[in-house]
Amino acid sequence: MSTSEYTTPERVQILLVEDNPGDVRLTEEAFKQGRIENDLHVVSDGTKALEFLNREGEYADAPRPDLILLDLNLPRTDGEEVLEELKEDPDLRSIPVIVLTSSRAEEDIVKSYELHANAYLTKPVDPDEFIEAVRAFEQFWFSVVRLPPEVE
């Protein structure tokens, strides 16, 4: 196999669903330092995430994300509800979802995987460790893993 088979799209579209401005800034910083060209789209609650994914309202022209980073503890519609709706939708279910949350609760981990999350990462408290964690999964998801193409 040639290495060209593992190239990523020109720009990776990432949807970050996160209500904590500090975590948004750290995630943006981590992706800026990374090697993957990306467009990071940020929404601050689960309702906006579903509108973005369904291209509704102000998100009518939103791109389809290649990957979703989803916090569980969100205002309005929580992360579990977003994950459940996303994975029930035949047009969206193939988008990988990484739960990125502060919760270490075993029931949250189990429930996330039952709802078909692709990975569950607990946010490190230390900002440098947080950035390193984001960069590590960026490397894995965009350099090692082959993401599904958008189905027309």
Side-chain angles (χ1 to χ4, degrees):
M1 282 183 224
S2 71
T3 55
S4 64
E5 288 182 50
Y6 295 102
T7 58
T8 57
E10 286 186 21
R11 292 189 71 81
V12 175
Q13 302 298 316
I14 302 166
L15 176 60
L16 173 62
V17 187
E18 174 61 68
D19 64 323
N20 181 322
D23 289 348
V24 170
R25 279 193 302 279
L26 286 173
T27 305
E28 288 171 339
E29 181 64 30
F31 280 118
K32 278 184 200 157
Q33 293 177 11
R35 295 181 303 196
I36 307 300
E37 290 293 315
N38 67 76
D39 292 322
L40 183 65
H41 307 276
V42 180
V43 294
S44 59
D45 67 54
T47 302
K48 289 181 181 177
L50 292 169
E51 290 170 358
F52 186 100
L53 291 164
N54 291 305
R55 297 177 176 144
E56 297 171 348
E58 67 180 291
Y59 304 108
D61 296 325
R64 176 188 169 91
D66 296 301
L67 182 76
I68 299 168
L69 302 176
L70 178 65
D71 189 12
L72 291 181
N73 304 310
L74 297 168
R76 296 169 66 187
T77 306
D78 73 24
E80 285 183 357
E81 291 174 84
V82 171
L83 186 55
E84 189 168 17
E85 283 197 41
L86 177 69
K87 294 302 182 176
E88 287 177 354
D89 186 323
D91 296 328
L92 300 173
R93 72 171 54 125
S94 66
I95 300 171
V97 178
I98 298 172
V99 173
L100 181 61
T101 187
S102 55
S103 174
R104 296 179 182 275
E106 197 169 293
E107 61 268 18
D108 287 342
I109 297 167
V110 170
K111 181 73 170 174
S112 294
Y113 282 116
E114 285 176 350
L115 294 172
H116 306 288
N118 297 86
Y120 189 102
L121 298 175
T122 303
K123 296 175 190 172
V125 176
D126 178 84
D128 291 333
E129 289 178 15
F130 184 100
I131 289 172
E132 191 54 41
V134 171
R135 292 185 68 198
F137 78 71
E138 174 195 38
Q139 175 69 22
F140 175 75
W141 282 98
F142 301 124
S143 297
V144 178
V145 172
R146 299 212 36 207
L147 296 172
E150 181 174 357
V151 179
E152 296 294 322

